[in-house]
Amino acid sequence: MRNLVKKFLIVLLFILFIFLFYHLVLTKFLNKYSLEQESIKFSESVQNSPFSISKVIIYSSAYGENQNTTFQKSNWILNLLQYSDIAIYLEHSGENLNPSNTIKTLTLENIQISSPMLGKPSLYYLDSLNFGTATFHENYKLDNSTEFTVLNDENRNNEIQSNTPVFFTDCSNPITLKYVNQSIKENYIVTSNEPVFFDGRLLNMANIPLGNLESNISFDIHLESNDHTDYFYHFSLPIYLENDDSSIYDGSILVEKNFENDKFRKK
């Protein structure tokens, strides 16, 4: 009987050892190996990519849409909005153009906007001629995704206008977008004896804290090269309203963010 109990305990300890070895050693090793393989695949897909983000320029200001339709009244009645114009510059590797480093299709996918404390934010395609102005059109509003028309020539005859999403196959023009946060403050009254500047200074006049306007946009840039290879880049950008030198309260703020070797990944 004693020998039987002894054998049972030995078998039990052996099973426990195997169980602990599997969960504490083997599982950890397998997870590490799997992570390393994924990292290697990701690194290879990035290293071999001919496309990258080179820089982003963001111009932010504000505007007041006048609700007072008669000039007989002695004040302005404004609906305040904040906007940020965004230019995303792509570049390709290689001195000479070829099917592998030129673009066939370009799409923005999975567009998301974090909600600020104030306002109703939206993202629009931006006609490059209106960059740095308060102009935007509801027809250009982007929902979940949008596809750009990719041109293979210089469009010298202006067959396709800049008021439609256009991108050149050689990455010679930026992706231009406009973030607009509307209804920050509605029916804001400014008397006629106050100087009114229709820019970011309106936010200061209306005592709107910049922290209440903080937001972030993100989306996937999906492009296909002319050799039929798909590439992706997850783009995320906070809406810059101030830095160490200035803020939108000064009227406007211009931020240029440079990227180094920030490549697209191959699918």
Side-chain angles (χ1 to χ4, degrees):
M1 184 66 179
R2 184 179 295 177
N3 289 337
L4 184 61
V5 172
K6 186 177 181 180
K7 290 180 181 179
F8 176 76
L9 290 175
I10 292 173
V11 172
L12 186 63
L13 288 172
F14 181 73
I15 295 174
L16 181 61
F17 172 78
I18 293 177
F19 177 81
L20 293 174
F21 176 81
Y22 177 78
H23 283 279
L24 298 180
V25 180
L26 186 60
T27 302
K28 184 177 181 180
F29 171 78
L30 292 175
N31 289 338
K32 181 181 178 183
Y33 177 78
S34 177
L35 181 61
E36 288 176 347
Q37 292 302 306
E38 290 179 3
S39 298
I40 290 172
K41 290 180 180 179
F42 179 79
S43 178
E44 289 177 346
S45 71
V46 170
Q47 288 177 0
N48 297 328
S49 173
F51 302 104
S52 60
I53 302 284
S54 61
K55 68 177 178 180
V56 176
I57 295 177
I58 312 105
Y59 173 86
S60 296
S61 188
Y63 187 72
E65 297 176 326
N66 186 25
Q67 306 303 301
N68 190 347
T69 58
T70 173
F71 291 98
Q72 296 178 353
K73 295 184 179 180
S74 60
N75 54 43
W76 296 89
I77 302 175
L78 305 177
N79 286 349
L80 303 187
L81 63 85
Q82 184 270 313
Y83 66 90
S84 295
D85 292 349
I86 304 162
I88 306 169
Y89 291 81
L90 277 57
E91 63 181 7
H92 62 81
S93 61
E95 296 182 0
N96 299 318
L97 298 179
N98 57 68
S100 66
N101 67 4
T102 53
I103 294 177
K104 180 181 179 182
T105 65
L106 173 65
T107 308
L108 305 186
E109 303 172 342
N110 304 315
I111 298 172
Q112 296 184 1
I113 308 173
S114 65
S115 298
M117 295 178 64
L118 292 176
K120 300 174 182 178
S122 300
L123 191 65
Y124 299 80
Y125 168 72
L126 173 64
D127 184 337
S128 58
L129 297 177
N130 292 326
F131 194 94
T133 73
T135 303
F136 68 97
H137 300 281
E138 287 298 326
N139 291 340
Y140 302 161
K141 185 177 179 179
L142 308 181
D143 293 318
N144 184 58
S145 65
T146 189
E147 183 173 357
F148 283 67
T149 299
V150 177
L151 301 181
N152 295 319
D153 55 38
E154 296 180 357
N155 196 32
R156 290 178 178 175
N157 296 326
N158 291 320
E159 295 175 357
I160 299 180
Q161 300 297 315
S162 59
N163 60 1
T164 60
V166 170
F167 194 79
F168 289 97
T169 187
D170 61 353
C171 305
S172 57
N173 69 309
I175 299 170
T176 49
L177 305 170
K178 193 180 198 77
Y179 166 89
V180 182
N181 186 8
Q182 301 183 69
S183 302
I184 291 174
K185 192 166 190 176
E186 297 182 324
N187 299 319
Y188 173 58
I189 298 176
V190 182
T191 59
S192 60
N193 59 354
E194 295 181 73
V196 180
F197 301 94
F198 284 81
D199 55 24
R201 285 170 284 189
L202 281 173
L203 303 179
N204 196 19
M205 287 181 62
N207 296 315
I208 297 176
L210 297 185
N212 291 352
L213 304 179
E214 291 179 355
S215 183
N216 189 88
I217 63 171
S218 66
F219 46 81
D220 296 320
I221 305 175
H222 175 198
L223 61 86
E224 180 188 1
S225 60
N226 279 298
D227 66 353
H228 307 292
T229 304
D230 288 298
Y231 296 91
F232 292 86
Y233 185 96
H234 181 68
F235 183 84
S236 181
L237 181 74
I239 300 301
Y240 292 96
L241 301 179
E242 59 184 336
N243 56 26
D244 295 335
D245 302 319
S246 61
S247 81
I248 196 173
Y249 283 159
D250 300 319
S252 62
I253 182 172
L254 182 66
V255 175
E256 181 173 333
K257 184 178 181 182
N258 294 296
F259 295 78
E260 187 173 345
N261 203 32
D262 226 33
K263 292 188 175 183
F264 282 68
R265 62 177 177 85
K266 187 186 297 185
K267 185 177 181 180

